[in-house]
């Protein structure tokens, strides 16, 4: 076995190992705004994509009120009636993802917005129509995030 | 020759480790139980009691399409109940802010002709792909709490 071939084999082995251990990643976007402004901007972006802010979960203030450290994290739930109706028809277990959750994490002057990670769900539902629905929601969120950054 | 053997050993070791690490026991996606013979209001009441009995705090209850349609048109046969334990929430967020993907805790109730299905996304299923063993251990504990709450609520 030549040295080059050995190196190739090692590279393949390492990449296999890395792929096995690589954590899945949700959609993410960041913007230099306050947490409050981020909530307003995301609400507007959701409205631009026919979605509604269902609930803002201020877990930062809820924890502080009970004597815990401020995690600088808030959760937004956004949804649309269409998403609910499609999930009811396509795969009722997808209702567990609705309304869609956005996690807002403030670090200094930047707010990082994360979606839930759709990858494990897509693996669980490899076939249509559930898989298509998940892809559609992910695309909508990507567009919403682009809108949020562009404001 | 020794170097060649060492390199080959390393490659085989790596190839052996990669699939082995992927063979960790896989979590089921959904935790579920059924409250036979109950209507959805009775099932929600039993769930709220079970939540309190396990040191969690009720956060809110809503229809699946709440705020998406006028109140009178909401589908009241599918309800979401949110709850949390603030100390556990604090601990999980300190370990990893991505724990917010499991917060607050939630059970979805679906009324069927024979009773009510109580359904929760398994937090350990969510955390197993996050690559944070400390958070995953917390989520394993959270899963046990979910199972106990679901069992009690459906008794």
């Amino acid at each position: 076995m030549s040295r080059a071939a050995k190196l190739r084999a090692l590279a393949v082995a390492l990449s296999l190992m890395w792929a096995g251990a690589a954590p899945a990643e949700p959609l993410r976007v960041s913007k230099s705004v306050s947490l409050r402004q981020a909530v307003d901007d995301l609400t507007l972006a959701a409205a631009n994509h026919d979605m509604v802010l269902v609930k803002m979960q201020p877990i930062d203030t809820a924890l502080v009120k009970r004597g815990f450290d401020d995690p600088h994290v808030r959760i937004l739930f956004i949804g649309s009636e269409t998403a609910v109706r499609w999930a009811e028809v396509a795969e009722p277990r997808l209702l567990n993802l609705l309304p869609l959750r956005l996690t807002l994490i403030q670090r200094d002057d930047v707010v990082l917005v994360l979606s839930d990670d759709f990858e494990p769900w897509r693996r669980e539902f490899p076939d249509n129509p559930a898989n298509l629905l998940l892809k559609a929601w992910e695309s909508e969120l990507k567009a919403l995030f682009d809108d949020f950054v562009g404001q | 020759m020794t170097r060649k053997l060492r390199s080959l050993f390393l490659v085989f070791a790596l190839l052996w480790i990669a699939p082995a690490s992927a063979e960790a026991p896989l979590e089921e996606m959904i935790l579920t139980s059924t409250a036979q013979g109950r209507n959805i209001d009775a099932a929600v009441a039993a769930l709220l009691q079970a939540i309190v009995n396990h040191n969690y705090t009720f956060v809110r209850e809503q229809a699946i399409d709440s705020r998406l349609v006028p109140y009178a048109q909401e589908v009241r046969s599918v309800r979401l109940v949110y709850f949390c334990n603030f100390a556990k929430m604090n601990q999980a967020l300190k370990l990893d802010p991505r724990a917010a993907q499991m917060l607050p805790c939630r059970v979805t109730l679906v009324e069927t002709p024979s009773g009510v299905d109580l359904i929760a996304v398994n937090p350990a299923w969510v955390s197993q792909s996050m690559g944070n063993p400390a958070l995953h251990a917390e989520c394993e504990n959270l899963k046990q709490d979910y199972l106990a709450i679901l069992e009690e609520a459906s008794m």
Side-chain angles (χ1 to χ4, degrees), chain B residues 126-139:
Chain B
V126 178
S127 65
Q128 73 185 355
S129 58
M130 286 184 172
N132 184 335
L135 178 65
H136 187 57
E138 285 291 318
C139 290

Side-chain angles (χ1 to χ4, degrees), chain A residues 74-86:
Chain A
R74 278 187 192 184
I75 297 172
L76 298 187
F77 290 99
I78 60 170
S80 70
E81 187 192 358
T82 314
V84 172
R85 302 296 167 239
W86 274 106

Side-chain angles (χ1 to χ4, degrees), chain B residues 84-143:
Chain B
C84 87
N85 174 305
F86 289 97
K88 290 183 183 191
M89 180 159 83
N90 177 58
Q91 169 71 7
L93 286 171
K94 275 187 190 296
L95 286 171
D96 194 324
R98 290 176 301 166
Q101 282 188 47
M102 293 153 248
L103 298 173
C105 298
R106 162 179 161 173
V107 171
T108 304
L109 298 96
V110 182
E111 197 168 44
T112 67
S114 60
V116 177
D117 291 333
L118 291 87
I119 304 157
V121 176
N122 178 0
W125 176 77
V126 178
S127 65
Q128 73 185 355
S129 58
M130 286 184 172
N132 184 335
L135 178 65
H136 187 57
E138 285 291 318
C139 290
E140 287 283 358
N141 292 334
L142 186 56
K143 172 189 168 185

Side-chain angles (χ1 to χ4, degrees), chain B residues 28-47:
Chain B
E28 68 270 55
M29 178 180 71
I30 295 289
L31 309 175
T32 185
S33 69
T34 301
Q36 293 285 355
R38 287 209 185 120
N39 66 26
I40 197 147
D41 290 326
V44 167
L47 177 60

Side-chain angles (χ1 to χ4, degrees), chain A:
Chain A
M1 195 183 200
S2 72
R3 184 175 166 75
K6 271 187 248 169
L7 282 173
R8 258 200 309 274
L10 184 61
V12 169
L14 283 171
S15 63
L16 279 174
M17 202 168 98
W18 180 83
E25 284 293 327
L27 297 174
R28 60 175 61 209
V29 70
S30 60
K31 189 173 171 180
S32 293
V33 282
S34 67
L35 212 44
R36 177 176 292 211
Q37 187 62 48
V39 172
D40 289 346
D41 290 355
L42 283 165
T43 305
L44 182 60
N48 290 341
H49 294 270
D50 296 323
M51 285 189 266
V52 174
L53 175 66
V54 174
K55 177 74 183 170
M56 196 256 292
Q57 203 80 52
I59 57 179
D60 51 348
T61 54
L63 283 170
V64 169
K65 208 185 286 180
R66 287 162 180 83
F68 296 102
D69 292 338
D70 187 344
H72 302 286
V73 172
R74 278 187 192 184
I75 297 172
L76 298 187
F77 290 99
I78 60 170
S80 70
E81 187 192 358
T82 314
V84 172
R85 302 296 167 239
W86 274 106
E88 284 171 340
V89 173
E91 172 51 74
R93 283 177 291 176
L94 293 185
L95 290 173
N96 288 288
L97 263 174
L98 301 177
L100 297 170
R101 180 199 333 255
L102 302 179
T103 302
L104 281 63
I105 304 170
Q106 182 156 44
R107 294 287 177 262
D108 301 318
D109 296 333
V110 174
V111 173
L112 175 66
V113 185
L114 304 173
S115 72
D116 281 0
D117 188 358
F118 286 77
E119 180 54 33
W121 289 86
R122 279 203 307 267
R123 277 201 305 269
E124 205 71 35
F125 299 105
D127 302 318
N128 294 331
N131 196 274
L132 265 182
L133 198 52
L134 287 163
K135 282 180 182 161
W137 291 347
E138 204 170 17
S139 296
E140 276 178 16
L141 283 177
K142 272 182 193 157
L144 188 153
F145 280 8
D146 288 344
D147 194 330
F148 167 70
V149 170
Q151 284 171 24

Side-chain angles (χ1 to χ4, degrees), chain B residues 7-8 13 20 23-24 31 34-35 51 71 82 86 99 105 109 119 123 144:
Chain B
S7 302
L8 270 176
E23 278 170 14
L31 309 175
T34 301
I51 285 167
Y71 180 79
Y82 291 93
F86 289 97
C105 298
L109 298 96
I119 304 157
Q144 296 309 317

Side-chain angles (χ1 to χ4, degrees), chain B residues 65 67-74:
Chain B
D65 49 5
R67 295 189 174 227
L68 305 177
V69 297
Y71 180 79
Q73 293 172 25
E74 286 180 359

